[in-house]
Amino acid sequence: MVDTCFLSQGLTTLAGLLLLPFGSLAASQIEVTVENFLRVLTGRIPSSTPRSKRLLSDDRSNILIYMTGHGGNGFLKFQDSEEITNIELADAFEQMWQKRRYNELLFIIDTCQGASMYERFYSPNIMALASSQVGEDSLSHQPDPAVGVHLMDRYTFYVLEFLEEINPASQTNMNDLFQVCPKSLCVSTPGHRTDLFQRDPKNVLITDFFGSVRKVEITTETLSLQPDSGVIESSYKKDQMVEELMEPLKYAEQLPVAQIIHQKPKLKDWHPPGGFILGLWALIIMVFFKTYGIKHMKFIF
Amino acid sequence: MAAAVRIFLLVLLLLGPGGWGQAEPPRDSLREELVITPLPSGDVAATFQFRTRWDSELQREWVSHYRLFPKALGQLISKYSLRELHLSLTQGFWRTRYWGTPFLQAPSGAELWAWFQETVTDVDESWKELSNVLSGIFCASLNFIDSTNTVTPTASFKPLGLANGTDHSFLRYAVLPREVVCTENLTPWKKLLPCSSKAGLSVLLKADRLFHTSYHSQAVHIRPVCRNARCTSVSWELRQTLSVVFDAFVTGQGKKDWSLFRMFSRTLTEPCPLALESRVYVDITSYGQDNETLEVYPPPLTTYQDVILGTRKTYAVYDLLDAAVVSNSRSLNIQLKWKRPPENEAPPVPFLYAQRYVSGYGLQSGELSTLLYNTHPYRAFPVLLLDSVPWYLRLYVHTLTITSKGKENKPSERSPQPAPPPPLPLHVPQHLSSQGYIHYQPAQDRMQPHLLEMLIQLPANSITKVSIQFERALLKWTEYTPDPNHGFYVSPSVLSALVPSVVAAKPGDWEESPLFNSLFPVSDSSSYFVRLYTEPLLVSLPTPDFSMPYNVVCLTCTVVAVCYGSFYNLLTRTFQIEEPRKGGLAKRLANLVRRARGVPPL
C-alpha cells in the first residue's frame, strides 16, 4: 500500500485548487490546524513560508474548498482536538472577499449536519454544497474487507463517480452537480446554497472549478535568440586565470582525534548582569543599610 | 520572407546550443549508478546515486544559465552562502548488526545539516530561512526546525567537501525524528534529476515499489569538490542518493531469487542521454569464485574489484551506455539465481554497531543507555558520540557513566591505567586536565536542547555502555500534540568512527572510482570513516487531563448560574395573588356557550 501524506483516518483534509494559475497547496498532517487553515485562506502567514504553502490567489481566481471529516451542527473537527465553527469560516471568507482573494468560491462539505456550515456565509460569489441537512448524519460507503474500515463516504463516492465522467471540454453545469447522490443512494439529503452566487447555477460550468484549462494563443511571429558571445568568452577566461593562481585545496579530516582532544572550547562572551540580579543586589544592600545604619558605609566604600 | 526566417532558425538550431562564437563545452556532467548488494540476512539492498558535477564558481559570478544542475538548489547555494548542505528523509532503520555497514546511513525521519560560508553574519537567521525554503521544495515539514531542535556540534560533522577552515560556529544540525516520508517527498526529489523518471536508472524509481521496503532513505548532498587531480579549482557536486532494502520474505515470497523486475516492477531499457556514465554494480563478493551456489544473469562483461569499507569486494559491472548490454532490442533485467541454498553459517558481524534504549518505570524518571559494540579481535578505535536530547527530558549529567567490560571507561583515555584517577568534573573543559574530550551544553527550557559530545575509545572485543539518567518534565497544555499519548521522540545518537580496515585501501583517483567509493574523503588507508545512527526513541511524557478546561467551565458556569440566578430571583421577583381557576370540562363548555351568547361566564 502506498503511503501518502494526505491519507488520514477521519481527519480533515484540505484541497485548494486555483484556476488561474493552476496550483495546489501541500501540507502534512501535523500542520493542518484551524489556525494554519485560516491563515492560509486569509493570507496572514509568516514571510518565511515557501510558495508551495501559500494560497497564491487574486481577484480572478476560482477557488474550490472541499472539507470532510467529523462534524456537527455548526462545527467541524480538526485532528480530533479542535474545531472550526461556521462563523469563523464565514468571517474568513468575508476577509478573503474584502482583500479580493477570490473571484468565485465553491465550498463542498461532507460531514454530519454539513448544511449548518454554510448557513452563516454572507460574502458574495459563494456557492456551497453539503452532504446532509441539519439534524441528519452523513454515512460512509461500504467497508473494505482487507483493511476493515470504511474508506470513503457516500457523498464523496458519488460525487467522484460523477466527476470522473467530466473532461475539460464538458458543458455540464452546476445543476447536475446538485442532483448527485439523491436520498435513495445517500440516505441523507444533500443540500446546496446559491443565493450568494451572482450567476445562475445553470450557466456555471463544472470545469470552472474542477479543471484547469490554460488558454493558448498561437502566433506565427518568430524570434531569433543570439547568445552573447562576449559574456561567455570573458567568463571562460576568468576561470582559467583563477585556476593558475589558487593553491591546491584539500578535504577536511573527518575524525581528527588529536585535534579534537586539544581543541579549546570557545569562551562565551561576558554579558553584564541582567536587571533581576542588579535589582536583587540593590535590595540586599538597601536592607543592610536600613538595618545597621548608614554609618557603616564608610567601612565598605 | 517567412521561409527564409525558418531556414535561418533551422541553421541556428543545427549549429547547436553554442550558437555563434566558440562552442563552449558543457560545464556540468551527470554520473548515475545503482549498487545492488545481497545482505547477509537474505534481504537485498539497492543504492541509487545520481551525481551532477558543475564546474562553476557560484559564489563569485552571477549565474543565470542552469543546464543539469537544478536551478532551485543553485539559487539556494548563492542566496544563503552555503558551503555544504545535507538533507535526508528516511523511513525505517538500517540494522547494522544484521545487514552490515551501510555506505551512507541516515537517521529515521528528516535530518538536515549545513555548513555556511564564513561571510554569513547571522547564521541562525539563514538557517531558519533555509529550512523553510527546503520544506517548500521537498514538501516536507522542515519548517518545524527551530532553536528547540537545532544544535551546533563542536567536533562531529566535519565538512565532507573541500574546506579551508572548520569553525564550528558555521555548522548547524537538526533532526526531526517524527517526520514521515511518502510519495509527496519522492516526487520533487525525482524532479531534480536531469532525466527525471523517463530514462536511465531513474525509470526504476516507482513509488509503489520503493515504499514497500524495510528501509527507504532519500538524500540530497551538495558540497564543493576538486575539479582536477591537482585540486586547484573548485566544482560543485550534487549527489542524490536513494537507498532501499527489500525484504526477501515480503517481496520475494520466501524465495531468495530476485531480479530487477521483481524488485522494481521495471527493467532498464535505455541509458539517460545526458549521462556521462550509467552503470549497475552487483556485489558478487561472497559468491565470486565458487560458481556453484550463485549465478548472475546476464553474465557481466566486466567486473570491478576494490577495497570497499575495509574489505576486498568484487562487483559485476553492467554499463548501460554499452550497446552490448542495453539496446533498442534488448532490455536489462539482472537476475540472481541460487543454485544451491547457502550453508547455514553465521553472517559476518560488522566491527562497529550500536543500540540505544530507554529504561526505567513510571512517568517521573528514566535512564537513557547506548550500547557500543566493538567486535574487532585486537584493535581498539575511537568513536565520537553525539547526543541531542530535547529539553523536556532533564538530564542528570552527574549520573553519566561509561563502562566497558565492567570497568569504568573515561572518555578517550589512551591506555588503561592501573589505578583510575577520580572522575573529572564535566563542567571543566577537558583539555586542561586530561586527554579526553567531552562537551556538554545544557538545555534551556523551550529554547535549546541538550548537546552531549564525547570521544570514547572502544577497547577491542568489548561492549561499552553509556548511560545517563533523566527526569521527565510536564509541558504546558498547549504544547502537546493532538496525540500526546503516542509519546515524544528523542533523535538518534550519531556515532562517527574510524574503523580499522581488514585490507588497506589504495588511495586512487577520486574521479575514476565508482560513486559509492567516494562518499567520504579518506586520508589514511588503514581505517575507513563511518557514520552510524542509533534508533530513535519514543518516550512517554506525563499528560494532563485534557478535558479539565471543559469540566471547569461547566462547573463554574453552573455554580455561578445557580447562585446568581437565585439571588436575582429573590431580589427582583414580586408575588401577586391570582384567582384560582377551578372547574371541569363541563363548566368550560358552558362558559364557551355563554360567551357566544354574550352572557357573563359562571
Side-chain angles (χ1 to χ4, degrees), chain B residues 313-333:
Chain B
K313 294 214 171 131
T314 312
Y315 291 88
V317 184
Y318 297 88
D319 192 345
L320 293 182
L321 294 172
D322 187 357
V325 174
V326 167
S327 64
N328 278 345
S329 55
R330 185 211 329 241
S331 68
L332 179 64
N333 182 20

Side-chain angles (χ1 to χ4, degrees), chain B residues 484-496:
Chain B
N485 292 302
H486 176 76
F488 288 77
Y489 283 91
V490 179
S491 47
S493 319
V494 187
L495 310 168
S496 314

Side-chain angles (χ1 to χ4, degrees), chain A residues 178-207:
Chain A
F178 296 154
Q179 306 306 321
V180 164
C181 203
K183 195 172 163 99
S184 54
L185 288 173
C186 256
V187 186
S188 55
T189 320
H192 53 89
R193 179 176 178 180
T194 53
D195 55 318
L196 294 166
F197 210 75
Q198 278 161 13
R199 291 193 286 156
D200 194 358
K202 69 169 187 290
N203 296 332
V204 180
L205 297 177
I206 299 227
T207 50

Side-chain angles (χ1 to χ4, degrees), chain B residues 286-519:
Chain B
S286 358
Y287 334 102
Q289 291 85 23
D290 194 353
N291 223 1
E292 290 158 43
T293 42
L294 195 83
E295 189 191 340
V296 179
Y297 181 80
L301 298 172
T302 46
T303 54
Y304 171 73
Q305 269 208 18
D306 202 353
V307 177
I308 310 282
L309 294 174
T311 48
R312 188 169 293 284
K313 294 214 171 131
T314 312
Y315 291 88
V317 184
Y318 297 88
D319 192 345
L320 293 182
L321 294 172
D322 187 357
V325 174
V326 167
S327 64
N328 278 345
S329 55
R330 185 211 329 241
S331 68
L332 179 64
N333 182 20
I334 300 172
Q335 291 170 14
L336 185 71
K337 290 198 181 57
W338 290 90
K339 286 207 180 148
R340 190 181 75 213
E343 283 121 31
N344 281 351
E345 54 185 42
V349 180
F351 288 141
L352 172 69
Y353 60 99
Q355 212 184 340
R356 195 185 191 208
Y357 55 89
V358 169
S359 49
Y361 59 89
L363 289 174
Q364 167 92 12
S365 54
E367 190 178 12
L368 208 60
S369 307
T370 312
L371 293 175
L372 306 167
Y373 295 81
N374 176 3
T375 56
H376 201 285
Y378 50 85
R379 289 273 297 269
F381 50 86
V383 167
L384 189 61
L385 179 69
L386 173 92
D387 256 323
S388 162
V389 179
W391 64 266
Y392 40 80
L393 298 183
R394 306 192 198 278
L395 296 181
Y396 290 125
V397 185
H398 72 280
T399 57
L400 174 69
T401 49
I402 307 169
T403 44
S404 323
K405 292 185 181 174
K407 293 195 318 265
E408 204 182 335
N409 181 3
K410 293 323 167 304
S412 184
E413 275 201 354
R414 281 307 176 145
S415 51
Q417 301 175 356
L424 301 155
L426 289 171
H427 58 272
V428 173
Q430 289 302 299
H431 74 283
L432 292 177
S433 34
S434 86
Q435 287 187 4
Y437 182 77
I438 277 195
H439 175 85
Y440 173 64
Q441 190 170 8
Q444 283 176 301
D445 275 8
R446 298 176 184 87
M447 274 168 56
Q448 227 186 355
H450 298 272
L451 173 67
L452 185 58
E453 265 187 285
M454 300 185 273
L455 187 67
I456 306 174
Q457 193 80 322
L458 298 183
N461 208 14
S462 66
I463 303 175
T464 306
K465 180 171 171 184
V466 180
S467 60
I468 188 167
Q469 289 179 9
F470 63 88
E471 192 187 62
R472 300 165 213 236
L474 190 66
L475 302 176
K476 295 183 183 171
W477 77 291
T478 48
E479 288 174 348
Y480 287 94
T481 51
D483 51 350
N485 292 302
H486 176 76
F488 288 77
Y489 283 91
V490 179
S491 47
S493 319
V494 187
L495 310 168
S496 314
L498 282 174
V499 182
S501 334
V502 175
V503 179
K506 300 186 305 293
D509 185 11
W510 222 22
E511 279 302 310
E512 295 303 316
S513 54
L515 294 174
F516 57 89
N517 210 1
S518 51
L519 284 162

Side-chain angles (χ1 to χ4, degrees), chain A residues 63-274:
Chain A
I63 302 185
L64 162 73
I65 298 182
Y66 169 78
M67 306 183 83
T68 183
H70 286 295
N73 191 355
F75 69 92
L76 187 142
K77 270 172 82 171
F78 265 65
Q79 298 265 23
D80 248 358
S81 68
E82 45 182 8
E83 300 135 8
I84 187 172
T85 56
N86 46 7
I87 302 171
E88 278 177 351
L89 203 55
D91 288 341
F93 286 161
E94 176 65 15
Q95 284 189 54
M96 286 171 80
W97 174 253
Q98 294 294 333
K99 289 161 85 166
R100 297 286 178 264
R101 282 171 74 83
Y102 70 89
N103 174 30
E104 287 173 347
L105 198 142
L106 177 64
F107 177 75
I108 305 182
I109 184 158
D110 186 4
T111 62
C112 300
Q113 306 189 56
S116 61
M117 288 302 286
Y118 62 62
E119 276 171 359
R120 299 291 191 131
F121 291 165
Y122 55 94
S123 320
N125 277 352
I126 300 184
M127 189 182 312
L129 280 104
S131 61
S132 55
Q133 301 292 334
V134 176
E136 284 181 346
D137 286 340
S138 289
L139 303 175
S140 48
H141 209 50
Q142 85 273 6
D144 183 273
V147 186
V149 292
H150 296 260
L151 290 182
M152 212 185 226
D153 299 327
R154 281 177 191 244
Y155 185 70
T156 307
F157 181 79
Y158 289 109
V159 167
L160 194 61
E161 209 178 49
F162 173 78
L163 288 174
E164 273 172 355
E165 286 145 29
I166 310 282
N167 53 43
S170 158
Q171 296 294 311
T172 32
N173 53 35
M174 281 297 167
N175 277 342
D176 303 323
L177 191 59
F178 296 154
Q179 306 306 321
V180 164
C181 203
K183 195 172 163 99
S184 54
L185 288 173
C186 256
V187 186
S188 55
T189 320
H192 53 89
R193 179 176 178 180
T194 53
D195 55 318
L196 294 166
F197 210 75
Q198 278 161 13
R199 291 193 286 156
D200 194 358
K202 69 169 187 290
N203 296 332
V204 180
L205 297 177
I206 299 227
T207 50
D208 277 354
F209 293 99
F210 281 95
S212 166
V213 178
R214 291 177 207 271
K215 290 201 175 357
V216 178
E217 292 177 10
I218 303 186
T219 171
T220 51
E221 290 176 22
T222 54
L223 196 68
S224 71
L225 298 170
Q226 287 189 6
D228 193 348
S229 52
V231 168
I232 297 173
E233 279 187 35
S234 68
S235 69
Y236 216 47
K237 279 207 195 84
K238 204 163 42 157
D239 270 346
Q240 283 174 351
M241 247 170 32
V242 168
E243 207 175 300
E244 285 144 27
L245 292 172
M246 272 168 73
E247 290 160 10
L249 303 155
K250 52 188 188 348
Y251 292 99
E253 210 182 308
Q254 291 300 304
L255 192 66
V257 176
Q259 186 202 349
I260 288 173
I261 290 175
H262 292 108
Q263 83 184 33
K264 293 184 188 350
K266 277 188 123 129
L267 290 168
K268 280 212 170 119
D269 299 332
W270 180 80
H271 294 290

Side-chain angles (χ1 to χ4, degrees), chain A residues 1-6 26-31 36 48-53 79-81 222-227 229 232-233 235-236 238-239 242-244 246-266 268, chain B residues 5 8-9 12 18 20 22 24-25 27 60 91 132 135-136 139-141 143-144 154-155 158-163 167 182-184 208 212 225-226 228 230-234 382 384 412 414 429 431 435 437 455 482 496-498 510 521 523 529 531:
Chain A
M1 188 152 89
V2 177
D3 278 323
T4 61
C5 284
F6 297 132
S28 72
Q29 259 190 12
I30 315 172
E31 294 178 331
N36 283 348
S48 54
T49 319
R51 276 176 71 90
S52 66
K53 299 198 181 194
Q79 298 265 23
D80 248 358
S81 68
T222 54
L223 196 68
S224 71
L225 298 170
Q226 287 189 6
S229 52
I232 297 173
E233 279 187 35
S235 69
Y236 216 47
K238 204 163 42 157
D239 270 346
V242 168
E243 207 175 300
E244 285 144 27
M246 272 168 73
E247 290 160 10
L249 303 155
K250 52 188 188 348
Y251 292 99
E253 210 182 308
Q254 291 300 304
L255 192 66
V257 176
Q259 186 202 349
I260 288 173
I261 290 175
H262 292 108
Q263 83 184 33
K264 293 184 188 350
K266 277 188 123 129
K268 280 212 170 119
Chain B
V5 169
F8 170 79
L9 274 177
L12 194 68
W20 308 109
Q22 66 191 64
E24 191 197 327
R27 295 164 74 179
R60 276 183 290 129
Q91 171 203 48
N132 274 316
S135 84
C139 185
S141 304
N143 47 326
F144 283 107
T154 52
K158 296 265 185 242
L160 289 179
L162 295 172
D167 183 1
C182 42
T183 48
E184 271 76 21
D208 56 338
H212 205 69
V225 293
C226 293
N228 46 28
R230 285 175 300 131
C231 210
T232 46
S233 52
V234 175
L384 189 61
S412 184
R414 281 307 176 145
H431 74 283
Q435 287 187 4
Y437 182 77
L455 187 67
S496 314
L498 282 174
W510 222 22
S523 52
F529 178 77
R531 188 175 285 140

